[in-house]
Amino acid sequence: MATQILNKGVSRRRFLSGMVAASAASVVGTSLLAPRSAMAATDTKANFSGEVLSGSHWGAFRAKVENGVWVDTVPFEKDKHPTTMIDGVREVVYNPARVKYPMVRLDWLKHGYKSDTTQRGNNRFVRVPWSQALDFFYHEMERVQNNYGPSALYAGHTGWQSVGKLHSAGTMMMRAIGLHGTFLAKMGDYSTGAAQVVLPYVAGAMEVYEQQTSWPLVLEHSDTIVIWGSDPIKNLQVGWLVPDHSPYAYFDQLAEKVKNNEIKVIYVDPVVSDTQKFVGGDQVKVNPQTDVPLMLAIAHTLYTENLYNKEFLANYTTGFNQFLPYLLGESDGVVKTPEWAAKICGIDADTIRELARQMASGRTQIIGGWCLQRMQHGEQYAWMLVVVAAMLGQIGLPGGGFGFGWHYNDAGSVTSAGPLMSGFSGVTGVDPIHNGSYKGYSNFIPVARFVDCIENPGKTIEWNGHSVKFPEMKMAIFCGNNPFHHHQDRNKMIKTWRKLETVVSVDHQWTATCRFADIVLPATTTHERNDIEQYGNHSNAGIIALPKVVEPMYEAKDDFDIFRELCRRYDREEAFTEGKSQMEWIEQFYNGARLQGRGIGVRMSNFKKFWEEESFIEFPEGTEWVRHESFRNEPDLEPLGTATGLIEIYCKTIADMNYDDCQGHPMWFEKTERSHGGPRSDKFPLNMQSTHPKHRLHSQLCSSTEHRATYAVADREPVYISTEDAKARGIKSGDIVRVFNDRGEVLAGAVVSDDYMSGVCRIHEGAWYSPLEGGKPGTICTYGDPNVLTQDIGSSKLAQATIAASAQVEIEKYTGTAPAVTGFHGPTAVTDINPLFPAMDLE
């Protein structure tokens, strides 16, 4: 029996019938039709003028506020290397894409879960009261749980958290939905999906999100730094928490050492990166997706020229002898010589040998990026990089070994001696109301396969040693999360999306996910609520208060209040809040760190003083640290987390899974499509890279109009193309071009650059999907979403991760009249619903 709704909202049927005779104002209420700013006279920030210290994924700042309006942003004085992206943060609050009110898709409002889902994406929504939207939300969860069980409700899809220890959108969602019932969850993520699965088997940890060796030790001890497919200068602008941008000071020092020939820096990359431009050094231009053959040839050179560390391999690794027959061609008839690799990776054999010799000539730090593991068989790149580092024998030494996280979260900065705050938890210990059977289906899916799950219920796939049977997904819930940015092959996704009966999205921007949802709830931005956060990520430089900068716009509510009110409908409000207000939670997080600080000799003020007077606490400096040092010093007492406790060059655990596309040791596998003579390069000759953007955090800030104008080309997302390829196609910088393949087409603005080798182009991921005809598969994207063009197949049976980097395209100059960009405004006003419904004022 369904739990009684404590909020006495009317039923959907009564609501619709009431609209026949009532005006929008009488049904919704006059206050809903007014912007929040018109009602804010009594709110605490409504008429405030002054500065507010706050923080974001782009760093800390001081917001200048005049009469309750945020007018300017100044970087925090403690941040010596602020990013210009700070200028776009204010626009997150004020932009045309703000979700202003609770909205329901027109046809879903008429027909509920039996609606015409082909209309999703046409952006036609009707505004409803908060109480009604939450009733719809609750009723749908009840219907799905009662009729199908937890396997049909997908509520585990999360992305980048909101900055703040309390208001983590995905955590809020999973806590509230988990109190109602169990649900289908996800495993892995899009950022590091292949590496995070294979590296625990090989190196005993995920590695990708770990702290790296302290930069001062690298600068002191390294002779050579190989930056392999990574661009720290570009990517360190953002952080999971509030970044302090401290690594940039070390890159200044590295640039000086390169200039003085004290350290040699080599970039293995088809593109001249921002880091290369900043630091200097030499580039090895490798054909896209062929890094593994290059690594194998380096390993062959190290072995045949006796440049490898036999003692390290004997004492700290296992399986080298099982790998050798493949390296030497005894198992497959192909010797992995530099001559063999040269034909694939486009680097002559002598250069490969010179690179191997340089790496073996002294202390070498290998800095690996994430973009390369986002290709087909991306596991092999991560695994092989560890093998090369193991052969060099410098893992655990200062300035040597490997790392996969140097471009992320202030990595390499010295971690402070300060405490860490806890945060709001996604679990409560309270039993859910619904705890039904999954009916033989899996209770989780690999996240990059979630569209396959919707498309193929009942199908069984292999993942990381498990068989995963796809359930029949009926309802999906997203909070502060935009899968229409994350996922590949947009047109396949749109067609498959129609199989879902109900989609709920909670957000503060009209992302494509909102446009393809049925119920959209307006959340506050980080800067319209109170919170608290660590300042500095791996550096943990201090604690910063995140007080409300301005009052919430329109009818936006905090995620905490949204889900608290949802939980009230099934008598779980107390379990959700634990009887605490938002400020009481924030004080609890602070006091937990304060207590922890006492135990380690770090004194912190009481919360009242911190919140009202200080706003920021700086922690004492910590000590320098070497990754894997304890393992090197005492491998028996400090083993790695692998099955053997050693680095596994050959991994029996993986071998026993019997996967054809990921076997017992790293290997080269041809791709389904690849540039420079690879498969499909005859029809689509350009490898399209969709790396992390230079001017955004994934899709965040793309809706910031003024900020977007600083990098857009002809109002479109830039596509970077080599001078040679542009000349062959009659393209010049500033042209609108069509980028296309068999999966779709986008318009973009051309930037012609000598930084790109021929056969390579780039559109940064996170460009908002902006279809010419909303909801129609195959329509051109007017702004330049690269995932219209990427493949949606798994990296291998081991990780089933995204392969966004494995995409071939063609580019041509667009000669027609370019359509307007469609993606950066709110929903279309519904004015054609008479005689059944009077039009509602959406403004």
Side-chain angles (χ1 to χ4, degrees), residues 298-355:
I298 289 171
H300 186 275
T301 301
L302 294 175
Y303 181 77
T304 57
E305 297 189 6
N306 200 27
L307 299 175
Y308 68 107
N309 191 318
K310 303 178 186 65
E311 182 180 357
F312 185 88
L313 290 178
N315 294 333
Y316 298 96
T317 77
T318 183
F320 185 67
N321 288 334
Q322 285 111 314
F323 169 67
L324 266 182
Y326 176 76
L327 185 68
L328 301 179
E330 296 168 3
S331 62
D332 65 351
V334 179
V335 186
K336 310 309 181 294
T337 64
E339 285 76 13
W340 164 80
K343 297 175 184 177
I344 303 171
C345 66
I347 303 166
D348 68 80
D350 287 342
T351 300
I352 295 174
R353 290 189 177 92
E354 289 171 9
L355 177 57

Side-chain angles (χ1 to χ4, degrees), residues 71-125:
V71 296
D72 197 11
T73 311
V74 179
F76 184 35
E77 58 273 14
K78 295 279 185 181
D79 188 345
K80 304 304 180 185
H81 299 84
T83 169
T84 57
M85 281 190 268
I86 284 290
D87 295 334
V89 177
R90 180 188 63 86
E91 289 190 86
V92 175
V93 177
Y94 310 113
N95 73 73
R98 273 305 296 264
V99 181
K100 300 176 181 178
Y101 312 110
M103 306 287 277
V104 176
R105 186 170 61 84
L106 174 61
D107 199 64
W108 196 96
L109 188 62
K110 294 178 180 178
H111 303 293
Y113 68 91
K114 296 180 180 180
S115 73
D116 177 6
T117 57
T118 66
Q119 294 185 27
R120 282 206 191 106
N122 69 8
N123 213 25
R124 288 158 55 82
F125 285 83

Side-chain angles (χ1 to χ4, degrees), residues 454-480:
I454 301 170
E455 185 178 36
N456 302 293
K459 178 181 177 181
T460 297
I461 65 167
E462 295 301 312
W463 172 81
N464 197 17
H466 302 273
S467 292
V468 176
K469 185 177 181 181
F470 287 153
E472 187 170 10
M473 199 186 300
K474 297 292 186 180
M475 181 179 182
I477 305 168
F478 304 100
C479 182

Side-chain angles (χ1 to χ4, degrees), residues 15 23-34 127-129 555 840:
F15 178 72
S23 68
S26 64
V27 173
V28 180
T30 54
S31 64
L32 269 174
L33 299 179
R127 182 176 162 198
V128 300
E555 289 298 318
M840 299 187 102

Side-chain angles (χ1 to χ4, degrees), residues 277-488:
K277 293 177 183 178
F278 186 88
V279 171
D282 301 319
Q283 183 184 11
V284 176
K285 294 183 179 181
V286 61
N287 290 339
Q289 302 189 81
T290 66
D291 303 84
V292 171
L294 174 56
M295 290 174 173
L296 286 165
I298 289 171
H300 186 275
T301 301
L302 294 175
Y303 181 77
T304 57
E305 297 189 6
N306 200 27
L307 299 175
Y308 68 107
N309 191 318
K310 303 178 186 65
E311 182 180 357
F312 185 88
L313 290 178
N315 294 333
Y316 298 96
T317 77
T318 183
F320 185 67
N321 288 334
Q322 285 111 314
F323 169 67
L324 266 182
Y326 176 76
L327 185 68
L328 301 179
E330 296 168 3
S331 62
D332 65 351
V334 179
V335 186
K336 310 309 181 294
T337 64
E339 285 76 13
W340 164 80
K343 297 175 184 177
I344 303 171
C345 66
I347 303 166
D348 68 80
D350 287 342
T351 300
I352 295 174
R353 290 189 177 92
E354 289 171 9
L355 177 57
R357 293 164 186 161
Q358 176 66 35
M359 294 171 73
S361 66
R363 190 69 59 81
T364 297
Q365 177 70 63
I366 305 177
I367 293 176
W370 296 350
C371 56
L372 299 180
Q373 56 87 50
R374 289 194 291 268
M375 64 179 167
Q376 197 174 11
H377 316 108
E379 299 89 347
Q380 307 303 312
Y381 150 76
W383 197 344
M384 193 61 213
L385 188 143
V386 176
V387 172
V388 170
M391 292 182 72
L392 293 173
Q394 299 167 7
I395 296 170
L397 296 177
F402 69 91
F404 288 94
W406 291 94
H407 62 287
Y408 178 70
N409 269 357
D410 308 316
S413 293
V414 179
T415 303
S416 78
L420 290 169
M421 284 187 294
S422 62
F424 197 63
S425 175
V427 296
T428 62
V430 177
D431 290 336
I433 296 168
H434 297 275
N435 195 7
S437 168
Y438 284 83
K439 301 177 183 178
Y441 296 117
S442 178
N443 61 1
F444 70 88
I445 53 174
V447 66
R449 303 274 56 79
F450 96 100
V451 169
D452 283 346
C453 175
I454 301 170
E455 185 178 36
N456 302 293
K459 178 181 177 181
T460 297
I461 65 167
E462 295 301 312
W463 172 81
N464 197 17
H466 302 273
S467 292
V468 176
K469 185 177 181 181
F470 287 153
E472 187 170 10
M473 199 186 300
K474 297 292 186 180
M475 181 179 182
I477 305 168
F478 304 100
C479 182
N481 181 249
N482 185 11
F484 270 80
H485 149 246
H486 290 151
H487 205 77
Q488 284 61 62

Side-chain angles (χ1 to χ4, degrees), residues 238-274:
V238 304
W240 183 251
L241 309 178
V242 179
D244 64 2
H245 298 127
S246 50
Y248 286 99
Y250 300 120
F251 282 98
D252 286 334
Q253 297 174 46
L254 179 59
E256 189 66 21
K257 286 183 175 289
V258 170
K259 180 180 177 182
N260 295 332
N261 296 316
E262 297 174 46
I263 296 179
K264 187 175 184 66
V265 179
I266 300 170
Y267 305 85
V268 183
D269 204 316
V271 175
V272 179
S273 66
D274 285 357

Side-chain angles (χ1 to χ4, degrees), residues 150-173:
S151 62
L153 176 61
Y154 185 51
H157 200 108
T158 56
W160 272 66
Q161 66 170 7
S162 308
V163 165
K165 286 290 180 271
L166 176 60
H167 294 285
S168 176
T171 301
M172 293 274 183
M173 172 187 70

